[in-house]
Amino acid sequence: MRKNRRNRSSFPAGTKTTDPAVVGRASQRSNDTAQAQQELLAGDAIFSRCLTQWQFGEWEKLVQLSLEDLRPLRTRAILALLVGAAHQQLANFESAKSFFLEARVWGCTVQQVARIAVASLQSTLARAAMLLGDSKKAAVYLEAALDVAGLGDTGLLLPVRLQVEASRLKTRFRERSNSEAVSVTPVEAAGVVKTFPAVFSCDVEIDSEKFSGCFNSDSRGEFERAEAVLRYKTEAAIPIYFTTSAAGSLDHPRDAQFPLEGGWEYVIDGFISNSGGHNPIIWIFEYKNGKRIASRHMIPNFGSFFLRFTSNADADSFAVGIRLMGMGELNLHHTKFKVIRSTLPIANIGASWVREVCEQEYKSQVFSRFNERAVEFAFLFAVIAKYYPKRILDVGTGTTALPHLMRNSGPLVTAIDNIKDYWAEDIVNRHYHVVNDDITQAKISDQFDLVTCISVLEHIEECDKAVESMSGLMARNGLLVMTFPYNENRYVDNVYKLPGSAYGQTAKYVTQAYCRADIDRWLSRFGLEILKQEYWDYWTGDCWTVGQQIIPPVKVSQDKKHQLTCLLFRKKA
């Protein structure tokens, strides 16, 4: 039963008081309430503005906020995440770390921080794809970034973010070209820009000098020009090609309009204003003495396009091409092309992105603990130094630099990993190309002098299938190096579940510890023999991760306590 609440006021209901002290307190409360409401509204406005800036990739604006600016706001936790992400995108990693840590203190969950961090990584991958001219992959990465962050309508935001990132990439390229250039040799030095009658023309800028691009076509189809509009219509799936050449032909231009210096790096960007029909495709055709010797293309993103390419060493001229299909219109006033010849060495632009990633990794280093790689790599490279295998297969590479290090030693190295199924996200190994292949049902069929499987087998539940597959990929008298958690007498299905395990409880994969019975089974089933085995004591407990870590680890004999083994097998003849 509900109890009647007594009126807390000392005055009967409906009675007014004229006591100055009471009236003053009431007035103060009213002022405080109004001020609080104003502060809430101001905080909401800041949040709305910051969210929009994150959605549109306006990092420079976001980083203008400090932690002190955010501290009094009720949405400070999420705002700290957004500002931290902006600092991360601008390579201000210490500032990013400060904002992320404060976001956790203010109430953000680990999952929220992880989503923003993954979104930042996807944005970086999108820029890398744009740099390589792969607009489709760039769109996939940016869509993933917006999806995982969950901070807006991906369908509405994606087109805008693509435009923003493409524009930022163009600006950065020009800045790097200007800052690192020693001298500029005009493109026209290779020849003269030609002019001739054309179906239509539009602006083409080459190294800051403006020309009128003369487009012709020898394609079948209907087209007509009316003022600054080109209307076109094609039959079924047969496209029309327009090129800046006298004959309008892709292969036999008669005269290609623009000169080209062979072996140089160029960037072409611009905008094509098309309505109706299919999405246009922009082509670059390279010629030598009037014969086509190379071509490349790009698909505009909402009209905007950007492509970096290196001209064929023998090329002396080029034509810009436009491929149209369906029925539509080109607005010639708004269609523009810009060609820049880079004064940078060929690898500089791509290398700048690698340098940025390396710098990010360097600046974000945080010591956690030592791992077993020093012991494992020492064992492996001692094998390479003794037997000098010519062909090596590395199984379960992940993101490590191991294949790169082995390749630096001379052998030919193939690296594989089950990228799509094992990893939560598609991995990118910046050290070496990794083939997507599952060793338990391998598609690869080559024979290798050495197969390496370093701290990988313990994560494969169907371990017998993996060992069988690896033995099948070994050449006659081939070698196999494997390392994994080990206990001479006891198999453990997942060491992270053992009492006293130091880490790994939240891991989404298992870590098994194998025993002598497992090794004997592989020897008898798969035609292997042991050439060498090492035992290492890494932990105070009996199994891997149990107890305190022993640094440096101790190499011991078979009968002593140990938790890790390094094995060298040979395939029996």
Side-chain angles (χ1 to χ4, degrees):
M1 180 181 293
R2 212 182 235 183
K3 296 182 179 179
N4 292 325
R5 293 182 179 176
R6 187 178 60 179
N7 192 328
R8 294 182 182 178
S9 172
S10 57
F11 301 96
T15 303
K16 293 184 179 180
T17 178
T18 57
D19 187 330
V22 175
V23 172
R25 287 194 298 271
S27 176
Q28 182 63 44
R29 283 196 299 270
S30 177
N31 291 338
D32 290 345
T33 301
Q35 183 178 350
Q37 288 175 341
Q38 289 176 354
E39 290 175 353
L40 287 176
L41 289 173
D44 289 344
I46 292 174
F47 177 79
S48 179
R49 185 179 74 242
C50 289
L51 180 59
T52 301
Q53 288 168 349
W54 184 93
Q55 291 170 336
F56 286 81
E58 296 175 346
W59 315 125
E60 292 81 0
K61 294 180 180 178
L62 264 174
V63 297
Q64 293 175 12
L65 286 172
S66 68
L67 286 171
E68 292 306 313
D69 294 329
L70 304 184
R71 198 174 302 279
L73 305 178
R74 62 175 178 173
T75 53
R76 60 186 181 179
I78 297 298
L79 285 172
L81 270 189
L82 301 182
V83 178
H87 278 290
Q88 186 177 0
Q89 290 294 308
L90 297 177
N92 305 328
F93 300 109
E94 287 303 318
S95 297
K97 182 180 176 181
S98 298
F99 277 89
F100 287 149
L101 289 175
E102 206 65 32
R104 289 282 290 122
V105 171
W106 287 341
C108 274
T109 65
V110 173
Q111 290 77 12
Q112 287 174 315
V113 177
R115 284 202 299 268
I116 295 298
V118 170
S120 295
L121 173 61
Q122 297 283 11
S123 295
T124 302
L125 293 174
R127 289 197 296 275
M130 285 181 177
L131 183 69
L132 297 173
D134 194 337
S135 57
K136 186 175 291 186
K137 184 169 286 187
V140 170
Y141 282 131
L142 267 183
E143 184 176 12
L146 295 168
D147 277 344
V148 73
L151 294 175
D153 188 319
T154 299
L156 294 176
L157 294 173
L158 181 60
V160 180
R161 278 293 295 275
L162 284 168
Q163 292 270 30
V164 169
E165 296 295 349
S167 177
R168 182 180 286 121
L169 188 60
K170 294 175 191 177
T171 302
R172 180 165 185 171
F173 174 83
R174 295 189 186 103
E175 288 173 350
R176 288 192 62 84
S177 294
N178 292 334
S179 65
E180 297 187 30
V182 177
S183 62
V184 177
T185 304
V187 173
E188 301 84 78
V192 178
V193 174
K194 301 172 183 178
T195 57
F196 32 71
V199 173
F200 70 88
S201 62
C202 63
D203 292 340
V204 176
E205 183 179 309
I206 301 180
D207 278 357
S208 301
E209 190 168 347
K210 294 183 179 179
F211 300 93
S212 182
C214 303
F215 286 84
N216 287 303
S217 178
D218 67 350
S219 302
R220 294 176 59 186
E222 301 176 20
F223 51 83
E224 63 173 355
R225 177 181 173 179
E227 298 297 331
V229 174
L230 177 79
R231 297 186 178 91
Y232 62 89
K233 181 180 180 181
T234 68
E235 300 176 6
I238 303 174
I240 297 176
Y241 285 87
F242 289 92
T243 67
T244 55
S245 65
S249 170
L250 312 182
D251 295 304
H252 307 287
R254 196 164 72 229
D255 275 321
Q257 188 175 7
F258 303 113
L260 187 72
E261 286 199 50
W264 279 82
E265 184 170 273
Y266 287 81
V267 166
I268 179 169
D269 68 69
F271 186 85
I272 183 166
S273 179
N274 179 72
S275 59
H278 295 262
N279 198 15
I281 299 178
I282 309 300
W283 284 83
I284 297 294
F285 300 107
E286 299 178 40
Y287 301 96
K288 178 185 179 182
N289 298 328
K291 181 179 179 181
R292 179 157 65 100
I293 58 173
S295 61
R296 62 203 80 241
H297 72 277
M298 54 196 146
I299 301 174
N301 274 320
F302 301 96
S304 182
F305 52 85
F306 176 85
L307 175 68
R308 175 178 59 88
F309 69 95
T310 304
S311 59
N312 187 284
D314 297 322
D316 57 31
S317 59
F318 77 96
V320 177
I322 302 175
R323 176 187 182 272
L324 301 170
M325 194 164 70
M327 184 171 68
E329 294 182 353
L330 274 187
N331 185 317
L332 304 178
H333 277 335
H334 296 154
T335 297
K336 302 178 186 298
F337 296 84
K338 185 175 293 185
V339 181
I340 305 170
R341 191 185 70 173
S342 172
T343 56
L344 303 181
I346 179 63
N348 271 25
I349 303 302
S352 67
W353 286 96
V354 177
R355 285 196 296 269
E356 182 173 315
V357 171
C358 291
E359 185 180 357
Q360 288 184 18
E361 291 181 352
Y362 165 71
K363 290 183 176 179
S364 60
Q365 292 181 96
V366 177
F367 180 80
S368 174
R369 58 181 173 81
F370 288 106
N371 60 33
E372 61 273 26
R373 298 295 173 267
V375 165
E376 295 171 323
F377 285 7
F379 182 88
L380 169 60
F381 280 95
V383 170
I384 294 174
K386 180 177 181 179
Y387 294 96
Y388 280 88
K390 185 177 180 181
R391 301 196 66 198
I392 299 177
L393 171 67
D394 185 50
V395 176
T397 299
T399 58
T400 72
L402 178 58
H404 181 73
L405 295 172
M406 292 193 291
R407 179 70 187 98
N408 278 351
S409 303
L412 303 175
V413 181
T414 299
I416 67 171
D417 203 331
N418 188 8
I419 297 171
K420 299 294 183 183
D421 298 330
Y422 179 78
W423 296 87
E425 300 275 342
D426 284 0
I427 60 169
V428 176
N429 187 318
R430 66 171 178 79
H431 307 285
Y432 208 81
H433 174 64
V434 180
V435 178
N436 181 35
D437 201 355
D438 181 354
I439 192 60
T440 64
Q441 42 190 352
K443 302 181 184 69
I444 195 170
S445 58
D446 295 345
Q447 296 287 289
F448 298 90
D449 303 311
L450 171 64
V451 177
T452 62
C453 184
I454 307 301
S455 278
V456 171
L457 190 69
E458 63 266 30
H459 305 308
I460 303 176
E461 295 188 44
E462 295 182 300
C463 59
D464 285 9
K465 280 189 176 182
V467 177
E468 180 180 16
S469 180
M470 286 187 281
S471 65
L473 294 169
M474 296 163 64
R476 190 169 182 269
N477 293 318
L479 303 173
L480 168 62
V481 170
M482 292 199 298
T483 67
F484 44 73
Y486 184 76
N487 183 292
E488 185 70 19
N489 303 308
R490 175 189 176 194
Y491 166 79
V492 179
D493 61 359
N494 191 355
V495 296
Y496 296 150
K497 293 182 178 179
L498 293 174
S501 178
Y503 63 87
Q505 287 73 22
T506 61
K508 295 181 179 179
Y509 49 83
V510 300
T511 295
Q512 303 165 85
Y514 298 109
C515 63
R516 180 59 56 184
D518 297 308
I519 295 175
D520 290 342
R521 184 174 69 253
W522 300 332
L523 296 177
S524 63
R525 287 187 183 181
F526 308 130
L528 302 173
E529 59 181 345
I530 297 176
L531 297 185
K532 184 178 181 181
Q533 183 171 8
E534 290 182 357
Y535 307 87
W536 288 86
D537 187 15
Y538 256 91
W539 297 88
T540 56
D542 289 335
C543 287
W544 188 255
T545 73
V546 175
Q548 300 295 315
Q549 195 176 26
I550 299 172
I551 298 297
V554 182
K555 185 178 176 181
V556 297
S557 59
Q558 181 179 355
D559 59 329
K560 301 295 184 182
K561 178 176 70 71
H562 53 266
Q563 306 85 20
L564 179 80
T565 191
C566 301
L567 278 153
L568 172 62
F569 298 91
R570 181 169 62 192
K571 189 173 186 178
K572 292 181 181 178

